[in-house]
Amino acid sequence: MADNSKLEIFKLISKRYTFREVAISKCGLDEAQENDNQIFNSLYGLFLQKLTQNEVWTNNRTKLGLVLFSSAGENVNEVFKAHSDACVIEGFIDGGPYDRIRRMAEKDDTTTTTLLDRNKIVTDRYYLYLYLPLNSYVGLMFLERKKGQDIHTPMELFLNETLKVRNNIHVERYIPQSIIEDFKDEGIIDSFTFSERGFNLSVFQIVGCLLAGWFVYKNPSGVSDTTIDYLLSSLSIITGFFFAVILLSYDQFNKIEVPNSRATEDEKIKALKSINFLKKYNALSCYAILLAIIVIFMLIGTLLFGQKTDIGKDFEKASSLEDVALFPTLCFYALVVWRFLMIYFLLDFFIITIYAICSLFQFLNLQMLDLQLPFAVNASHVTSEYQVYKHKYGKIGVFIVLLMGILLLLFATSLCFIYK
């Protein structure tokens, strides 16, 4: 039978205390009298104390227990040992479910059975590696995961019970950046799962909000008529482009040949990549069109109402609460919010447009890189553009063309200065 064990990596974050301070606080040590090895061994002793008691460490939340079993003649310090010079604790621990009624029997003889009551625990052995640098707030945990069963949740609770001083030890999965980048380039998204999140903005959204607020503050008179004309023209053209892209995406989607069961894995992956890209690109295009339509209506509304309003001159700051007029105040805040949202949606539209173009380039680039020609090209027969021009015009001709290009560039630059 194949071994389906996996090794998962977690970051252990102690928010306010280093692991040295945790050991000193939990073990009641005198830092002046203890060296690093003694401090770390005291930290290791906290784990041994909880795992080698006469009863299993349990938690009613998970109904999974942890313990450190040792066979006859086996020392627990060898099964689960500390390397104090490297700030590492590694070895094996036992864990498994309890609080279940089960029946056990021989596979070849079911006449004799044994009842396992709720107080019995059935364990597997898991590999555990802890890196707890004494002068750091962050450590690492490597934990084995078996098919259909893992103990990372009870292990997280166990770590908090063992190492918590005031704040909980935060445990989060750790994925190296290189793996993240590989997934971005080569990964295929099979399905999305949406969940509710708190107030969380991306960096681009935060920058867009700041730029929109800065624009409203620095331009109290709003957007000029000329700028609105240019924006309406640009948005209309780009919106038409995205409409054409959506139609082309649908046409390309219909041309994709869905691989059958006899298809190779490469053919299935290629088809799935194409479908996934078209889904993403279609969503981006529809979102960009929606933003463009919203901004167009807001720009038209600005032309019809409030375009000549200067919030710096047409509104006065009240000297007291009695002088505050309700209707002008509401108009002021409505105008500020209107202009802020209009600029923010406009910036968001251009961000989405740039992202869509980059996604298209990345997809086409990967498709071209994956393309394997059925023939080989001799590199010695490949001629560069310079060699073509040199063969056609000679060396002097090439230099003349370059000189003419430089002169034209200087002439265009001088015209710009003259125009100014």
Side-chain angles (χ1 to χ4, degrees), residues 179-236:
I179 296 178
I180 295 175
E181 295 300 328
D182 287 343
F183 178 79
K184 286 180 180 179
D185 294 336
E186 303 292 341
I188 302 171
I189 299 175
D190 182 67
S191 62
F192 288 102
T193 301
F194 295 95
S195 59
E196 294 184 1
R197 299 177 62 186
F199 183 74
N200 190 11
L201 294 177
S202 67
V203 176
F204 291 111
Q205 289 173 314
I206 294 173
V207 172
C209 289
L210 293 175
L211 289 176
W214 179 81
F215 175 85
V216 174
Y217 174 74
K218 298 295 290 185
N219 297 274
S221 59
V223 186
S224 64
D225 291 345
T226 305
T227 304
I228 291 177
D229 290 339
Y230 284 134
L231 287 175
L232 288 174
S233 301
S234 302
L235 290 171
S236 301

Side-chain angles (χ1 to χ4, degrees), residues 68-69 74-81 90-92 125:
L68 182 55
F69 290 131
E74 193 176 34
N75 195 330
V76 292
N77 293 330
E78 295 298 323
V79 179
F80 189 65
K81 52 190 174 182
E90 62 93 17
F92 295 90
R125 178 155 280 192

Side-chain angles (χ1 to χ4, degrees), residues 6-10 141-145 150 152 173:
K6 298 178 181 178
L7 198 62
E8 295 182 313
I9 310 174
F10 300 88
M141 176 175 70
F142 293 71
L143 184 63
E144 183 182 3
R145 176 175 182 170
D150 71 273
H152 87 269
R173 293 183 186 275

